[in-house]
Amino acid sequence: MPDLILQELEQLVASYGYLGVLFCITLESFGAPLPAESLLIVAAWVAGKGELNIVVLLMTAWCAAVLGDSIGYWIGRLIGHERLVRYGRYVGAKPPLVEKFRGLFLRYGPVIVVVARLIEVLRQVNGLLAGTMEMSWWRFLTCNMIGAAIWVGIWGGGAYVFGQHIDQILRLVEDHKRVSLLIALGLFLLLLIAGLIYSRCRQRD
C-alpha cells in the first residue's frame, strides 16, 4: 500500500508542484477528505532529492494550513452560535449542552486549536468549531499559525530529514490516521455520554 500511495502522490507533486500542495492542504484543512498529510510528506521527500525547494514547500504548506482553517473559522462564524443553539437539539446537541461546551471551548480553546491540528478529523473541523463557538479571531489565528507550524514541521520537516525511510513514514501516517480516528470517535462518545448524563441530571432537578 505505501508503494502505491508513494507513486500516486509523487506523480501528483511532479504534475502540480507547490500549487498542488497549496490546493490540497487548503481544502483538507476545512473539511475535504484529501490526503494532505501524505502529500506533504511525499513533497518533502521530493524536495530532499533536489526537485523542490524545501523552504518554499514548507512555507506553502504552512500558509495553506492556516488559510484552510481560517476559511473553516469564518464558515463557522457564518453559521453562528445562535443557529447551533436553535437547531442543535435536532441532532442531540441541546442548548444547555451547547452552552457548556462553548464555555469549555472559550476557556481551553487555544490548546484545543493547537492540538486538533495534529489529529485526523479534528483537524478538518477545527476552524469550523472555533468559529461556531465564537472564539476570538485573533486568538484563533495565533493558535492556528502555531498548530500549523508544528504540523508542517513534524511531517514536512521530518520527511525531508528522514526521506530515506519514506515507506516507513507513510506507514506511520496510516497508523496515525487510524489512531486519530479512534481518538475522535472516543471524544464524540464522551461528549454524547456527558450530554445524556447532563440531561438526566437536569430532569431530576
Side-chain angles (χ1 to χ4, degrees):
M1 178 64 77
D3 291 338
L4 180 60
I5 294 173
L6 179 59
Q7 292 172 10
E8 292 178 349
L9 293 178
E10 187 179 6
Q11 182 59 46
L12 183 61
V13 172
S15 299
Y16 299 102
Y18 304 113
L19 186 61
V21 173
L22 178 69
F23 186 75
C24 181
I25 294 178
T26 298
L27 290 183
E28 193 256 10
S29 294
F30 69 92
L34 296 172
E37 227 164 45
S38 298
L39 180 63
L40 173 58
I41 288 168
V42 172
W45 173 67
V46 170
K49 298 193 294 181
E51 298 175 26
L52 292 174
N53 183 296
I54 187 61
V55 175
V56 175
L57 173 65
L58 295 181
M59 287 302 299
T60 299
W62 179 78
C63 289
V66 172
L67 175 62
D69 270 353
S70 297
I71 292 172
Y73 174 90
W74 287 110
I75 291 173
R77 289 301 292 259
L78 186 63
I79 293 171
H81 169 250
E82 290 184 3
R83 283 195 181 91
L84 183 61
V85 171
R86 187 179 306 166
Y87 301 111
R89 69 188 69 202
Y90 299 114
V91 292
K94 295 182 179 179
L97 181 60
V98 172
E99 291 300 330
K100 187 174 181 62
F101 181 74
R102 180 169 179 261
L104 288 172
F105 195 92
L106 293 179
R107 185 174 182 181
Y108 301 108
V111 176
I112 294 173
V113 169
V114 172
V115 173
R117 181 75 228 179
L118 306 176
I119 301 175
E120 192 79 13
V121 177
L122 297 184
R123 179 168 66 251
Q124 285 88 338
V125 300
N126 186 22
L128 181 67
L129 184 60
T132 306
M133 294 294 107
E134 298 182 339
M135 183 179 182
S136 161
W137 161 244
W138 293 110
R139 175 177 285 189
F140 170 77
L141 181 61
T142 301
C143 299
N144 183 21
M145 291 191 294
I146 293 171
I150 295 172
W151 180 73
V152 169
I154 290 174
W155 296 114
Y160 179 75
V161 174
F162 302 105
Q164 66 272 25
H165 304 294
I166 185 67
D167 287 339
Q168 292 93 322
I169 294 173
L170 286 174
R171 288 191 184 94
L172 178 63
V173 169
E174 292 302 309
D175 292 340
H176 169 71
K177 287 181 178 179
R178 294 188 190 98
V179 172
S180 294
L181 287 171
L182 289 174
I183 291 173
L185 179 60
L187 289 173
F188 174 76
L189 290 174
L190 283 174
L191 285 173
L192 183 61
I193 293 169
L196 291 172
I197 293 173
Y198 186 78
S199 296
R200 289 188 177 181
C201 290
R202 293 275 296 182
Q203 288 173 1
R204 289 176 183 176
D205 293 341

